[in-house]
Every structure is written in C-alpha cells, then in structure tokens.
Amino acid sequence: MGVIERLAAGERLSLGEWRSLIADEETYPSSRLGELAVSVRDSIYGRRVFIRGLVEFTSYCRNDCYYCGIRRSNGKAARYRMTPESILETCVRGYACGFRTFVLQGGEDLFWSDDILVPLIRNIKESCPGAAVTLSLGERSDESYGRLRDAGADRYLLRHETADSAHYGRLHPSSMSLDGRKRCLWTLKRLGYQTGAGMMIGSPYSSVDTLAADMAFLQELSPEMVGMGPFIPHHDTPFRNEKRGSVALTLRMISLVRLALPHALIPATTALATASDDGHIQGFNAGANVVMPNITPQQEREKYSLYDGKKISGEEDGSDLSVIFDSFRKAGYEASMERGDYL
Ligand code: SAH
C-alpha cells in the first residue's frame, strides 16, 4: 500500500514518511493532495463551511511569544479589555444574526479569573440557546479548564505552535514549554472539550522536520479542530524582519491534515486570508471547512494586532455576512450558520 492509502486507512506514519509527504512535491503534487482532501471532506461534511463568530475580547497578555504583536514586551501595543457585559451583548447580537458558535479569544490576561468567566459562559449559554461556546484563552490550570467546562464551554482552541521542542524554544521565552502546552491539550481532551491544536506555517526556524513532528503529534492527539495559518511578521516584535510563511505550503498542510484527520474542523484562517486575497476559497479547495468572521466591536478590532496587515474587513467582517455568503456560493460552498459540531 502507498503512503496515502495507509494514511486513508488511519495508520500513523513515520517522521520520514511525513517528510516526503510534506516536501516531495513531485511524487505528491499539491493539486492531487488538494483533490483527495476535498473528496474526503465532502464525503463527511458535504460542501458546507461552518461560520463562527470571533470575539477578540482582550489584548492584554502575560506571555511574551516572539512572533505575536500583543506580547507583553510590546510597549506599543494598544491594550483593551471588553467588559463581561459587552462580551455577552456582542454574542447576543451575533445570535440574532444567526451565529451559533462564539469563539472568545484573547491574550493570557489574568483579569479573567474563573469567578468572572464562569458566570459569563453561563450567561452566554442561557441567552443564546443551542449555541456553542469556544474558548481560546491560552494555558490555564487543569482545575480552571474543568470549571469552565462545567460552566458550559464546549470547545477550546490552543495551538501547539510547533511540536518540535527545540523549535518551540526558539519561538517562546523559557517560561513556556512544549511539554506544558501538550499537557494542556491532553487535559482539554480528557475534560471532554472539542479540542483544537495547530501551528503557524513558515514560522522562523521551521523546517520540513518540524512540520513532520507537527503531523505526527496531530495524529497522536487526534484533535477535533486544527488551526493553521502562515506566519506573518509584526513590526514591533523580535521577528519583525523574518520572512512571511508561504501560502502554498499552508494550503498543502491543510490538505495533509484533512487526509490524516478526515473529520477535523479546519478553518481557513484570517492569517491565510490576510496573506492571499482569495485565502478562504483556496483554503476550502485544499480541504478546510470553517471560517471565523470577526464580530468584535469595531473600536477594539484594530487593536487586536497579532501581525501586520491583519484583515478586519470584507469576509473577515461578521457584520456583513452577505459578502461572505455570496463569495462562498460562487465558489461552490454553502455557508452554514449551524453549530457545526465535530461529526
Ligand atoms: N492566547 C491565546 C490566543 C493566541 S492568538 C493562546 O495562547 O492560544 C491565536 C493564534 O494566533 C496563536 O495561537 C498563533 O498561532 C497565531 N499568531 C500569533 N502571532 C502570529 C503571527 N505573527 N503570524 C501568524 N499567526 C500568529
């Protein structure tokens, strides 16, 4: 059996096999991987792409990730923190527009204790019946993840960023570690969250080897969601002069993740749409099936600046859904506002 057939049969591949799938464009052309990925996706989810409302609710962060524009050491970053009331209001407004998943994302901001988050999650679940709440607040204690889950949180996004620990150490200060990140991911799975991992593509010092490690880790963890986007430098970070990640490689990795994890919910990310005008559609055509338009109130939106040029209008703007729906329909995709749980 060939490598692709073995992958389709659910087998774990070796790092060497992953390296060839990632790098050997001649034997495995991206166009072919894309077609296979699309047919796998279509057989499970059809041509529906799921729409999630993204609320970027705080730009304060205690971490200092070298790539990220809202890192602690960036004294020029504009900081804001929405109130629990305005987060709830934003979700309720989104619910009236039809959103059935709310993704609350932010920096690791210590203001957001469990005592504040638990009633907020409960209120959102109560005011928006049937909607899913997805959290993306970084690393917390097992106990905290448990309390937030008990309050009703359904899903949690925590990208592992890279599954190569030496590489992880070159992207983050020594206060953070790949082991810590992985422990959080396993805890989230154990607690019954639909769990999202993922990595930037083309981050500084990444290589075919680090991507192979990512694929092996994703096969092991088997997350319900996998977020990937090209690395895009931010001018006020140590990586300001580093090269942007490749769109083509990002698309290829989306296809490989789809083949490895057929049921995964894979977003065509804002970073992908920022790096390429046609990013969402290209992402779908590579095997993605989720989009997360921004429903953060306009005055905060531009302050959540993770990388330069981050798109906040057009298809990224959740207040103008008709734009999204039309452009997706033209490309043969039906935007779905359903909860869109993992099948
Ligand atoms: N604090 C949360 C949310 C982080 S922001 C957490 O730790 O999970 C969400 C994602 O944006 C990050 O996981 C990272 O992969 C991505 N990101 C950050 N800076 C980026 C950059 N310069 N280019 C591309 N993606 C970036």
Side-chain angles (χ1 to χ4, degrees):
M1 251 205 296
V3 168
I4 294 196
E5 287 74 22
R6 293 192 16 244
L7 192 55
E11 267 186 53
R12 301 249 179 107
L13 302 185
S14 69
L15 288 175
E17 289 168 327
W18 275 121
R19 279 196 294 270
S20 3
L21 277 176
I22 291 161
D24 186 351
E25 170 78 40
E26 229 158 85
T27 313
Y28 311 106
S30 291
S31 56
R32 180 160 152 249
L33 295 178
E35 281 161 23
L36 289 170
V38 162
S39 79
V40 165
R41 190 240 1 247
D42 287 359
S43 71
I44 298 165
Y45 288 103
R47 301 293 289 184
R48 282 172 310 163
V49 291
F50 298 107
I51 311 294
R52 324 289 200 198
L54 176 65
V55 187
E56 296 165 333
F57 69 94
T58 178
S59 68
Y60 287 89
C61 192
R62 67 179 164 130
N63 277 335
D64 222 9
C65 311
Y66 302 149
Y67 45 83
C68 185
I70 63 167
R71 64 199 300 267
R72 180 182 64 211
S73 298
N74 181 7
K76 294 193 187 144
R79 306 290 174 178
Y80 69 92
R81 181 181 289 137
M82 288 173 68
T83 62
E85 294 74 27
S86 72
I87 296 170
L88 177 62
E89 225 171 82
T90 301
C91 294
V92 167
R93 212 175 313 119
Y95 190 79
C97 298
F99 285 98
R100 290 297 178 270
T101 293
F102 301 103
V103 181
L104 308 189
Q105 184 173 89
E108 284 192 22
D109 176 1
L110 295 175
F111 170 83
W112 298 93
S113 62
D114 296 344
D115 289 343
I116 292 181
L117 286 170
V118 163
L120 172 62
I121 293 165
R122 287 220 179 94
N123 283 334
I124 296 173
K125 296 288 286 190
E126 239 172 68
S127 308
C128 305
V133 170
T134 305
L135 302 176
S136 180
L137 334 170
E139 297 179 29
R140 302 176 74 91
S141 67
D142 291 12
E143 190 206 340
S144 171
Y145 285 144
R147 287 189 62 194
L148 303 180
R149 174 91 184 111
D150 290 341
D154 303 276
R155 309 177 184 146
Y156 204 104
L157 303 177
L158 185 77
R159 291 188 182 176
H160 62 281
E161 312 296 359
T162 173
D164 177 300
S165 58
H167 184 213
Y168 193 96
R170 302 182 81 170
L171 300 181
H172 304 95
S174 57
S175 54
M176 299 174 72
S177 75
L178 177 60
D179 275 351
R181 203 80 177 167
K182 283 184 173 174
R183 254 201 313 277
C184 289
L185 282 163
W186 288 111
T187 300
L188 292 164
K189 280 218 96 174
R190 178 170 52 75
L191 291 169
Y193 284 96
Q194 291 174 45
T195 302
M199 60 281 187
M200 290 174 289
I201 307 299
S203 60
Y205 316 110
S206 63
S207 64
V208 173
D209 293 329
T210 64
L211 288 171
D214 288 325
M215 292 308 304
F217 173 63
L218 288 173
Q219 276 203 301
E220 185 192 347
L221 180 70
S222 192
E224 285 78 16
M225 303 171 284
V226 183
M228 284 164 288
F231 161 74
I232 302 175
H234 184 288
H235 61 279
D236 286 323
T237 63
F239 288 163
R240 61 178 65 83
N241 294 323
E242 299 290 336
K243 222 172 86 222
R244 175 187 275 212
S246 137
V247 169
L249 182 58
T250 303
L251 297 170
R252 189 175 171 88
M253 295 307 296
I254 289 176
S255 299
L256 289 175
V257 170
R258 172 62 64 203
L259 295 174
L261 303 170
H263 294 261
L265 291 152
I266 304 176
T269 54
T270 302
L272 181 58
T274 297
S276 168
D277 286 339
D278 213 14
H280 288 141
I281 305 295
Q282 290 184 74
F284 302 156
N285 289 338
N289 63 341
V290 171
V291 182
M292 301 176 15
N294 203 321
I295 61 170
T296 311
Q298 204 68 46
Q299 68 270 22
E300 337 280 17
R301 209 177 280 186
E302 51 200 60
K303 298 184 200 146
Y304 196 79
S305 173
L306 304 181
Y307 45 81
D308 290 341
K310 180 164 163 277
K311 251 184 126 179
I312 52 172
S313 61
E315 288 177 4
E316 300 304 318
D317 185 353
S319 63
D320 198 356
L321 286 175
S322 63
V323 182
I324 305 183
F325 282 50
D326 286 350
S327 72
F328 293 178
R329 200 173 298 121
K330 283 198 191 94
Y333 294 94
E334 187 208 332
S336 168
M337 298 290 276
E338 285 160 46
R339 251 180 84 113
D341 279 304
Y342 181 81
L343 292 178

